[in-house]
Amino acid sequence: MKITVNVWRQQDAESKGSMVPYVLDEVSEHMSFLEMLDVLNEQLTLEGNDPVAFDSDCREGICGTCGVVINGIPHGPEVTTTCQLHMRTFKDGDVIDIEPWRAGSFPVIKDLVVDRGAFDRIIQAGGYISAPTGSAVEANNIPVPKADADHAFEAATCISCGACVAACPNGSAMLFTAAKITHLGLLPQGQPERDSRVLGMVEQHDAEGFGGCTNIGECTAACPKGIPLDTISRLNRDLLGALSRQTIG
Amino acid sequence: MTSTPNATGDVTPDAPTGASSETETEYHRLGEDIRDTAAPSGPIERRWDDRMFGARLVNPANRRKIKVLVVGTGLAGASAAATLGEAGYQVETFCYQDSPRRAHSIAAQGGINAAKNYRNDGDSIYRLFYDTVKGGDFRARESNVYRLAQVSVNIIDQCVAQGVPFAREYGGLLDNRSFGGVQVSRTFYARGQTGQQLLIGAYQALERQIAAGTVTMNTRHEMLELILVPDAEGVERARGIVVRDMVTGEIESHTADAVVLATGGYGNVFFLSTNAMGSNTTATWRAHKKGAYFANPCYTQIHPTCIPVSGDYQSKLTLMSESLRNDGRIWVPKNKEDAEKDPRDIAEDDRDYYLERIYPSFGNLVPRDIASRAAKYQCDDGKGVGPGGLGVYLDFADAIERLGRPAVEAKYGNLFDMYARITGEDPYERPMRIYPAVHYVMGGLWVDYDLQTNITGLFCAGEANFSDHGANRLGASALMQGLADGYFVLPNTLADYLAGSPFEKIADDHPAVLEARQAVEERLQKMLAINGTRTVDSIHKELGQIMWEYCGMERSEEGLTKAIGLIRELQNEFWTNVKVTGTNEELNQTLERAGRVADFLELGELMCIDALNRRESCGGHFRAESQTEDGEALRHDDEFAYVSAWEHPAEVGGKPILHKEPLEYEYVEMKARSYK
Ligand SMILES: Cc1cc2nc3c(=O)[nH]c(=O)nc-3n(C[C@H](O)[C@H](O)[C@H](O)COP(=O)(O)OP(=O)(O)OC[C@H]3O[C@@H](n4cnc5c(N)ncnc54)[C@H](O)[C@@H]3O)c2cc1C
Ligand code: SF4
Ligand code: FES
């Protein structure tokens, strides 16, 4: 099929960017979205032009490296990662807009590539359980009710892609932050640092310039891993508890 | 060589007939044998304790004066860096992704082995050791494998303490499953995302150390050279690396007291593999060219249940869990003419369930390499299905009838969804198509028992080294090895080395540093200047086709010789006709790929030379000339029970030098595999 793509081209962080149209004459419906971009890049290279920079690595929907805004929707029209979207979702003659994540805290590096370093820094601020190597007790000495373990696992499946931020009108990273709070907060091992974790992570979240959550829910709708909105309620409960204990303490 | 079946049905090769080896062939020279000088002797169950006790210690107060570079922050690198940081060393880490949490380890699905024996089903450290040595087709070191089995139990404890959400039973205890054809249930898992959860655990431990200031992380930095500096006695030591900042193009040098490479596997030499797009050999290959031996490069694992190629735009292959073979039945049409038909219109009598036919006792559950090769033979025979005739059916119709659709959905639902998403076909209605794909490499940098390469001060961990899997890796054992290396082995053995440090500080303008930087810069400029007519990907694809055809599931003298010639031509094509657009001083993904492909082109040649030298079939290496009458792999223990450790020739265009490390088996008796 014939596809026209309008791609955001931006030489580097300082330059101004713009949308540039390209036409692809032979797109197979079996191609993945990123394979379609590979084909475009081969074409551009042979013409002596600079290929489009975009991030991807696993191309299996698990590493969270890929992610662009497709026709205004982070990761495109299906609830999945960009790398798992296939061209059969589109039809002959379609025009597709492709842009990078738009968020102040994710500056554009080049074309469709953005800097998501803020996510790592939120984790550094408390998104872990302190368990130095060698200090662990026998694993089955810590039984975890299956329901808690399953819920913790679901929250832990966040791939840190950033679609939630790109989808949020406030540019908030609350869903990402809450997924980690939920994962670790549901486990007995995570209890000792529960207060310091939520305080540290939320403070870092705000310091990075991410916006506040006003319960719009666009994040969950765009999340390829279906991280639920109630993780944010859990974060808020933990935060209130921690703040009150901090005041009392 | 002849073989004699023994009472258990296993086949014992006859006594060695004396090794014959030429000192020089057309493709290589023979060097001196090597021995792992760090390996302890004595009872196997005491060796690791003895080694730890014998290791020198570093005073905690001195540790912060000692610096270690860890290149690669997948399971092996992140666990090592976090642990070294906790111990108080100054650690600097590097990865090519934008975050350590995206390393390729994240994609591992199935699980991680550990000899916990929670199921009381007869598992033990000894049994895990035994299974791994046997699974590796007697080409791994006993001492290493035993240690791996020993620390496996600590890994699970460590991961649970960090909050890794492994699957649990209703009572709240950890669940296990059986995996990869073993008879005990020793695999721990987190639904189909075990690698992801383990990596996030290690990543969080690493981020904690970054916050604590013990670790400095450099994301989007690619290592392009190793820096060696001779010490006062003239011993060349690994003292640093040269990296490229992938955002600005800046070339940086970093120096330290020791260097650890944990940069993963090189399966992408085949272009198409289940590895991530960026997985590469550059760090290990650069180290090899600086003197580090590359061991067993030809040992490749090819996984039978991947989604077939759909067109020439294909960029990577997707693995589907091998558990599918528990209930799916594999077949091809008996008649070539039916290959194009809708499979549902092919009558039962016209289907060949070839694995069930050839291997009646194991059927669809034969080991990975056998299942892969059998699929290849069917397709070579013209019976393959789907695009290009490169596929076989994996059919769940019987399972759906026997168990009901809901049961099949509960067990395999996510895999079926993934298949449907990628192929656009509904596997509940129509048999899946599968085909083998490159999945893992057992080869890597040669290391001793301490995980130190033959270059003093250069250590190597995870898939990047060759250490524990011999000629074939068992399912769920790579994650185990990566974490064993990183959490438990390296922190101890590296300490022994670092006890002799801090070494003399290396200035940024030291001649060795300047020379390494200059080499990197010249190489980058050279690639940018060619401005030919071939894209990097087109050359990479061509290399992949050569490797897959001649150094894939079946290798022969004729094919390998041909491949070496073709690869040499392609190397020349690359360096005269590749087109790399843009400049170095920017984010330039074409330039990144070009550098990796240049190294793959050299590694591919060495893989073929290694495969050519090994005139036996073992594990993931099948030589057409070395098979039994009924087509099974035939090892030659008398001639080839050694590790092939390759030294890069000093002179340009010289032949690689083969050093043999003899393998001895004191505990597990060498037997031939039999699955008939
Ligand atoms: C699809 C799939 C499924 C698998 N499933 C299982 C399973 O169920 N069980 C199992 O045990 N094993 C499994 N494996 C194998 C296992 O996942 C890998 O062998 C293992 O995770 C490798 O870990 P690692 O730390 O050695 O390397 P990786 O995780 O690959 O990490 C490599 C690191 O090195 C960095 N790096 C690479 N090159 C450079 C460079 N030049 N400069 C700087 N940094 C660099 C990368 O950025 C990364 O941080 C699977 C593999 C695949 C492909
Ligand atoms: S919460 Fe969802 S959308 Fe946000 S980073 Fe995690 S996986 Fe991506
Ligand atoms: S490339 Fe890994 S999630 Fe898309």
Side-chain angles (χ1 to χ4, degrees):
Chain A
M1 47 189 183
K2 185 174 163 174
I3 296 282
T4 305
V5 286
N6 288 319
V7 185
W8 181 260
R9 302 302 309 259
Q10 179 174 341
Q11 179 54 34
D12 53 36
E14 280 75 46
S15 312
K16 262 188 74 173
S18 64
M19 297 294 273
V20 179
Y22 302 100
V23 179
L24 287 139
D25 289 324
E26 280 173 56
V27 173
S28 152
E29 55 166 15
H30 295 299
M31 282 178 184
S32 70
F33 192 82
L34 296 182
E35 283 166 348
M36 181 271 293
L37 287 181
D38 290 341
V39 170
L40 170 64
N41 278 345
E42 287 288 282
Q43 197 175 304
L44 289 173
T45 307
L46 287 173
E47 291 162 10
N49 293 317
D50 204 16
V52 179
F54 65 92
D55 263 337
S56 77
D57 206 28
C58 75
R59 298 208 177 179
E60 286 189 16
I62 192 77
C63 73
T65 308
C66 68
V68 293
V69 177
I70 301 166
N71 287 337
I73 309 169
H75 291 307
E78 288 187 23
V79 182
T80 186
T81 55
T82 304
C83 60
Q84 291 293 289
L85 181 67
H86 282 71
M87 292 312 290
R88 66 181 74 89
T89 304
F90 301 93
K91 55 181 195 311
D92 188 37
D94 272 1
V95 179
I96 309 173
D97 288 345
I98 310 176
E99 294 167 88
W101 286 167
R102 299 283 187 199
S105 309
F106 289 161
V108 172
I109 296 175
K110 182 177 181 180
D111 297 340
L112 304 173
V113 178
V114 299
D115 179 356
R116 286 170 293 199
F119 273 5
D120 288 338
R121 292 188 292 273
I122 293 177
I123 298 295
Q124 280 160 30
Y128 48 73
I129 290 171
S130 299
T133 308
S135 62
V137 297
E138 152 60 41
N140 261 350
N141 281 354
I142 321 174
V144 183
K146 185 169 164 43
D148 288 350
D150 287 350
H151 279 124
F153 170 82
E154 276 156 26
T157 59
C158 162
I159 57 173
S160 189
C161 62
C164 45
V165 178
C168 177
N170 306 331
S172 174
M174 267 305 152
L175 193 65
F176 164 79
T177 310
K180 189 50 55 194
I181 296 288
T182 304
H183 162 206
L184 299 177
L186 276 169
L187 298 171
Q189 306 90 298
Q191 298 315 309
E193 292 164 302
R194 194 159 156 187
D195 284 1
S196 58
R197 177 178 310 121
V198 71
L199 291 169
M201 290 179 74
V202 169
E203 186 181 298
Q204 188 64 33
H205 170 276
D206 296 348
E208 295 288 349
F210 292 110
C213 171
T214 50
N215 271 314
I216 304 169
E218 290 289 340
C219 52
T220 307
C223 174
K225 299 295 149 181
I227 303 295
L229 210 53
D230 64 16
T231 55
I232 300 185
S233 323
R234 173 174 275 278
L235 177 146
N236 286 330
R237 278 201 305 277
D238 276 17
L239 184 62
L240 277 178
L243 283 170
S244 65
R245 276 184 289 277
Q246 198 182 36
T247 335
I248 298 165
Chain B
M1 193 180 77
T2 54
S3 311
T4 337
N6 67 12
T8 60
D10 284 343
V11 182
T12 317
D14 288 348
T17 51
S20 71
S21 46
E22 310 119 275
T23 52
E24 180 150 359
T25 69
E26 194 182 339
Y27 297 104
H28 76 266
R29 280 191 288 139
L30 199 62
E32 279 170 22
D33 280 5
I34 42 173
R35 228 160 44 81
D36 174 3
T37 49
S41 50
I44 198 158
E45 60 282 354
R46 288 207 41 88
R47 289 179 190 168
W48 179 227
D49 277 351
D50 287 349
R51 180 72 193 104
M52 281 196 288
F53 185 69
R56 290 169 296 168
L57 303 174
V58 183
N59 180 336
N62 285 340
R63 293 183 194 158
R64 69 191 140 75
K65 296 178 211 145
I66 300 174
K67 186 164 177 185
V68 181
L69 304 180
V70 179
V71 189
T73 43
L75 281 180
S79 57
T83 306
L84 292 166
E86 287 159 6
Y89 296 99
Q90 250 186 77
V91 184
E92 189 155 8
T93 50
F94 304 83
C95 77
Y96 71 77
Q97 293 94 345
D98 69 334
S99 164
R101 65 175 293 150
R102 308 203 197 281
H104 179 56
S105 295
I106 200 116
Q109 304 171 351
I112 177 166
N113 289 329
K116 283 283 198 186
N117 195 25
Y118 282 161
R119 287 302 177 88
N120 199 23
D121 57 1
D123 199 11
S124 61
I125 287 170
Y126 199 88
R127 188 179 296 281
L128 176 54
F129 155 71
Y130 176 89
D131 287 349
T132 309
V133 168
K134 189 167 167 243
D137 222 359
F138 300 93
R139 293 294 175 263
R141 289 184 193 141
E142 282 189 335
S143 302
N144 283 58
V145 176
Y146 196 87
R147 173 179 65 190
L148 177 65
Q150 275 176 312
V151 301
S152 71
V153 296
N154 307 108
I155 295 173
I156 301 304
D157 298 344
Q158 177 61 29
C159 296
V160 166
Q162 290 171 339
V164 170
F166 283 122
R168 290 182 180 264
E169 296 173 333
Y170 284 100
L173 301 179
L174 292 163
D175 192 16
N176 290 119
R177 60 183 174 201
S178 115
F179 197 73
V182 295
Q183 270 129 23
V184 292
S185 288
R186 62 160 74 104
T187 304
F188 293 77
Y189 65 102
R191 219 165 290 168
Q193 279 141 267
T194 316
Q196 179 194 34
Q197 294 308 320
L198 295 173
L199 182 62
I200 290 175
Y203 155 77
Q204 287 170 187
L206 178 67
E207 294 296 334
R208 177 171 165 259
Q209 290 310 303
I210 296 172
T214 58
V215 177
T216 312
M217 177 79 216
N218 299 275
T219 57
R220 293 198 199 266
H221 275 70
E222 182 160 29
M223 169 179 161
L224 298 178
E225 196 52 278
L226 178 70
I227 299 172
L228 298 182
V229 180
D231 63 14
E233 277 87 54
V235 178
E236 293 268 21
R237 289 179 191 260
R239 294 300 307 274
I241 61 173
V242 178
V243 295
R244 178 174 177 273
D245 178 330
M246 295 158 73
V247 175
T248 63
E250 193 182 333
I251 306 300
E252 307 167 359
S253 50
H254 296 260
T255 55
D257 295 292
V259 179
V260 177
L261 301 184
T263 48
Y266 52 83
N268 277 350
V269 66
F270 290 86
F271 184 76
L272 288 179
S273 82
T274 63
N275 287 6
M277 300 302 289
S279 296
N280 69 89
T281 186
T282 290
T284 49
W285 192 254
R286 297 280 115 205
H288 173 59
K289 292 188 84 169
K290 283 269 168 125
Y293 295 168
F294 213 112
N296 300 331
C298 81
Y299 290 162
T300 316
Q301 186 167 81
I302 294 181
H303 200 290
T305 53
C306 300
I307 301 178
V309 173
S310 71
D312 54 10
Y313 48 79
Q314 190 95 22
S315 59
K316 74 152 287 168
L317 295 170
T318 303
L319 172 85
M320 288 187 298
S321 167
E322 138 173 87
S323 62
L324 288 171
R325 288 199 279 144
N326 289 330
D327 288 302
R329 297 181 68 196
I330 295 176
W331 64 274
V332 292
K334 276 186 186 156
N335 311 311
K336 293 177 193 172
E337 306 75 59
D338 289 350
E340 308 262 305
K341 264 196 192 161
D342 185 323
R344 290 163 292 191
D345 297 338
I346 302 175
E348 195 60 29
D349 275 353
D350 292 331
R351 301 174 174 194
D352 180 10
Y353 295 90
Y354 57 89
L355 289 176
E356 298 171 20
R357 172 170 60 77
I358 309 172
Y359 306 97
S361 51
F362 281 79
N364 294 299
L365 292 173
V366 291
R368 291 177 179 178
D369 56 324
I370 296 182
S372 296
R373 220 163 38 243
K376 172 186 160 40
Y377 293 150
Q378 296 301 325
C379 297
D380 287 353
D381 230 18
K383 293 176 185 164
V385 298
L390 293 175
V392 299
Y393 290 123
L394 175 63
D395 198 336
F396 283 83
D398 278 3
I400 292 173
E401 203 178 294
R402 183 164 40 92
L403 308 165
R405 179 167 164 154
V408 172
E409 243 178 75
K411 244 173 151 170
Y412 305 112
N414 55 345
L415 293 167
F416 278 38
D417 291 349
M418 177 171 84
Y419 180 86
R421 173 171 293 291
I422 293 175
T423 62
E425 292 173 11
D426 178 1
Y428 293 102
E429 291 297 321
R430 196 190 162 101
M432 288 183 173
R433 290 173 295 110
I434 56 167
Y435 200 63
V438 173
H439 177 58
Y440 182 85
V441 291
M442 281 70 70
L445 289 189
W446 184 89
V447 287
D448 65 11
Y449 187 72
D450 284 354
L451 304 184
Q452 185 166 213
T453 68
N454 59 305
I455 295 180
T456 310
L458 179 69
F459 292 74
C460 187
E463 192 173 339
N465 73 27
F466 90 106
S467 66
D468 294 354
H469 307 293
N472 181 39
R473 172 177 71 77
L474 290 182
S477 285
L479 301 178
M480 168 172 73
Q481 182 227 331
L483 291 180
D485 288 1
Y487 282 132
F488 298 106
V489 179
L490 262 185
N492 286 292
T493 59
L494 195 59
D496 179 60
Y497 176 73
L498 294 172
S501 69
F503 303 112
E504 195 189 334
K505 203 163 159 25
I506 309 292
D508 283 347
D509 60 354
H510 187 286
V513 175
L514 294 181
E515 192 192 302
R517 290 180 67 120
Q518 195 186 346
V520 167
E521 277 159 15
E522 280 173 4
R523 199 173 130 91
L524 291 166
Q525 290 310 327
K526 195 170 164 191
M527 288 190 286
L528 285 162
I530 298 167
N531 198 19
T533 61
R534 293 274 307 262
T535 64
V536 174
D537 276 10
S538 81
I539 294 179
H540 194 177
K541 281 182 190 178
E542 191 175 330
L543 172 67
Q545 277 155 4
I546 298 170
M547 295 302 292
W548 182 241
E549 180 70 27
Y550 302 112
C551 198
M553 283 181 275
E554 185 177 295
R555 295 124 182 223
S556 69
E557 179 165 351
E558 194 193 339
L560 289 164
T561 313
K562 182 166 176 200
I564 294 168
L566 291 171
I567 293 170
R568 288 179 178 169
E569 282 169 31
L570 199 57
Q571 290 166 353
N572 189 43
E573 172 79 357
F574 179 92
W575 287 106
T576 53
N577 196 24
V578 76
K579 189 174 187 79
V580 183
T581 51
T583 66
N584 175 54
E585 288 70 34
E586 62 180 326
L587 188 148
N588 186 340
Q589 295 174 326
T590 313
L591 182 61
E592 292 162 17
R593 283 204 301 274
R596 294 173 194 156
V597 171
D599 291 331
F600 280 137
L601 281 163
E602 295 179 11
L603 168 67
E605 180 183 340
L606 185 66
M607 287 170 74
C608 292
I609 292 174
D610 184 39
L612 191 60
N613 171 64
R614 193 167 280 280
R615 293 177 310 277
E616 66 162 350
S617 299
C618 61
H621 169 66
F622 188 86
R623 276 290 294 264
E625 300 91 339
S626 184
Q627 47 184 309
T628 61
E629 267 167 31
D630 39 7
E632 297 305 318
L634 187 62
R635 273 196 342 252
H636 295 299
D637 294 335
D638 48 346
E639 246 193 298
F640 291 103
Y642 63 77
V643 174
S644 302
W646 294 92
E647 178 185 346
H648 192 75
E651 66 287 0
V652 181
K655 295 177 188 179
I657 301 151
L658 171 63
H659 298 275
K660 299 177 181 177
E661 180 199 326
L663 291 166
E664 277 148 33
Y665 293 88
E666 293 172 60
Y667 289 86
V668 188
E669 192 196 347
M670 292 175 103
K671 287 180 183 161
R673 296 191 310 172
S674 175
Y675 290 93
K676 281 268 158 94

